[in-house]
Amino acid sequence: MNREKTYLQLLLDLTKAITSNLNLNEVFELIVHKVPEVVGVDAATLRLLDPSGKKLVLQAASGLSEAYLSRGPVDAEESVLKALAGTPIAIYDAASDPRYHYHDAAREEGIKSILVAPVAIRGQVGGILRLLARTPRAFEPREMEFVAALAEHCGIAIENARAYQEQSRQIGYFKALAEIGKAINSTHELDAILNLIVRRMPEVMKLKACTIRLIESAKGRLQLKAAHGLSRAYLERGALDEELATHYILQGEPVVIPDATVDIHTIYHKEAAAEGVGSILAVPITVQEEPIGMMRLLTTGVRYFSAADINFAMAVAEQGGIAIQNAVNYQKLQDMLSGVGGKTTGPLVKG
């Protein structure tokens, strides 16, 4: 009975510590430092599934060397697969157990026993918590249940922190939308408008890069008009008119490309890998509901674009379309007043 009371008190103390913090990275660090203290082990790692749901990404660790942490992927290990299926797994001898792949790494690190617990987020297993001991330890069923409960509360803390982060992001997007709108509507210079957008979007959304392509009236094809954060080699890789993503974008639909190195919606996979491009969010730029181009937002790693991300990008693209329309109309007016006239070689914009 006393032992159960101790477990309950430890669980309450840990839950209070990790759920009182809404900074996601700090929650990760609290988990890998507090849980080992509570359970009485030497180290811990927290891995969460990436947006594809297929790969575990290390979020935080304590008590382990960089060499051990970089030993290789753990996704295919039997203990990990069972944990991802919702079952805690205990390994008494990490140096020989077939459910663990890195026997030599365990010996070099001095790891003897491991406990792997699933971390549930929003009702589904979204990662694993690993506890590692440098002295042999046979985890009892009650200990495993206790760690499983800890991992469940860790999932709740992660979910809360993510929700707070998303709310903060939406507030930031609202402010940024007003700032960008004010800035692009303060000028009639088309290049200035486009360059402002491609530079501001990576700052606001924490991206690698941004590009804008507009449909040229002379050829009816997309032409690169502004870019930020990408090499000349990548920008000159070839036309995007035939990509499946472009087809959907020019029908007015946003397109999310989780992995630009393999996705069927894109064709320049090798170039994306060489450039270090992970995910892409592409949105149409329209005027009076007619597409005149597209804006692409690129990341360095695989990223899940939330509804807030997509809505913000669409709103900026819509503002951009209006500003482009105004800039083109202004230039036409200036040409008429100066007696220049003639054909325009600018983007297709209905006047």
Side-chain angles (χ1 to χ4, degrees):
M1 189 69 178
N2 288 333
R3 194 174 190 182
E4 290 180 357
K5 285 185 177 180
T6 300
Y7 278 155
L8 179 59
Q9 188 59 53
L10 289 171
L11 180 60
L12 291 173
D13 291 343
L14 179 67
T15 301
K16 182 179 179 181
I18 62 176
T19 56
S20 62
N21 195 312
L22 292 174
N23 182 293
L24 191 57
N25 290 328
E26 290 179 8
V27 168
F28 292 156
E29 290 297 325
L30 277 171
I31 289 170
V32 298
H33 285 88
K34 289 289 185 182
V35 175
E37 291 178 10
V38 169
V39 180
V41 293
D42 302 293
T45 61
L46 175 66
R47 288 180 169 84
L48 299 181
L49 290 169
D50 71 2
S52 71
K54 297 178 181 178
K55 182 180 179 182
L56 284 166
V57 179
L58 182 68
Q59 302 295 334
S62 68
L64 297 166
S65 68
E66 187 61 38
Y68 180 80
L69 293 173
S70 59
R71 66 196 182 281
V74 302
D75 305 76
E77 291 182 356
E78 184 182 341
S79 61
V80 171
L81 294 174
K82 287 187 176 180
L84 288 174
T87 305
I89 298 296
I91 295 174
Y92 180 74
D93 186 3
S96 62
D97 196 301
R99 295 173 297 176
Y100 179 77
H101 288 177
Y102 300 98
H103 297 154
D104 290 342
R107 279 191 287 268
E108 291 174 9
E109 190 73 11
I111 300 301
K112 302 297 183 183
S113 301
I114 300 174
L115 177 57
V116 190
V119 176
I121 301 173
R122 294 184 179 177
Q124 293 185 332
V125 177
I128 60 168
L129 175 65
R130 259 185 169 171
L131 304 180
L132 306 95
R134 290 191 166 87
T135 54
R137 180 165 173 177
F139 292 96
E140 298 175 1
R142 187 169 294 180
E143 288 181 308
M144 294 178 66
E145 290 176 6
F146 175 59
V147 172
L150 288 178
E152 184 177 346
H153 282 268
C154 289
I156 294 171
I158 291 169
E159 183 178 343
N160 291 342
R162 281 180 171 175
Y164 178 77
Q165 187 180 64
E166 183 66 15
Q167 186 180 48
S168 298
R169 183 184 293 119
Q170 290 186 40
I171 293 172
Y173 284 167
F174 181 77
K175 292 179 179 178
L177 183 61
E179 292 171 2
I180 292 172
K182 183 178 180 180
I184 62 179
N185 287 312
S186 66
T187 178
H188 291 299
E189 294 292 330
L190 182 59
D191 288 345
I193 292 169
L194 301 181
N195 284 319
L196 187 151
I197 293 173
V198 297
R199 289 181 178 276
R200 192 77 176 93
M201 290 300 283
E203 293 176 3
V204 175
M205 296 186 70
K206 295 179 173 55
L207 306 165
K208 172 183 175 61
C210 178
T211 63
I212 290 178
R213 287 175 170 81
L214 299 178
I215 301 172
E216 286 292 328
S217 58
K219 300 177 181 178
R221 296 177 69 83
L222 287 166
Q223 296 292 324
L224 181 68
K225 290 297 182 180
H228 179 72
L230 296 166
S231 69
R232 181 171 293 277
Y234 183 75
L235 293 173
E236 295 177 350
R237 66 196 183 283
L240 303 184
D241 299 80
E242 305 306 319
E243 285 194 338
L244 186 58
T246 302
H247 169 75
Y248 289 115
I249 294 161
L250 295 184
Q251 288 186 1
E253 300 176 23
V255 174
V256 175
I257 300 166
D259 188 347
T261 64
V262 296
D263 197 284
I264 62 170
H265 292 86
T266 61
I267 57 179
Y268 299 104
H269 298 153
K270 291 181 179 178
E271 291 81 357
E275 186 73 10
V277 174
S279 302
I280 298 174
L281 169 60
V283 297
I285 299 174
T286 60
V287 171
Q288 298 176 10
E289 298 185 357
E290 287 293 325
I292 63 166
M294 67 178 181
M295 176 173 67
R296 278 195 169 193
L297 309 168
L298 304 91
T299 70
T300 52
V302 174
R303 173 170 167 178
Y304 168 72
F305 287 102
S306 67
D309 294 331
I310 297 171
N311 289 337
F312 173 63
M314 290 286 285
V316 172
E318 183 178 354
Q319 283 195 345
I322 295 170
I324 292 167
Q325 167 92 75
N326 292 339
V328 171
N329 288 345
Y330 177 79
Q331 187 58 53
K332 286 180 179 179
L333 179 61
Q334 292 297 104
D335 290 346
M336 287 174 60
L337 293 175
S338 62
V340 174
K343 290 184 178 180
T344 178
T345 57
L348 281 174
V349 182
K350 288 188 174 183

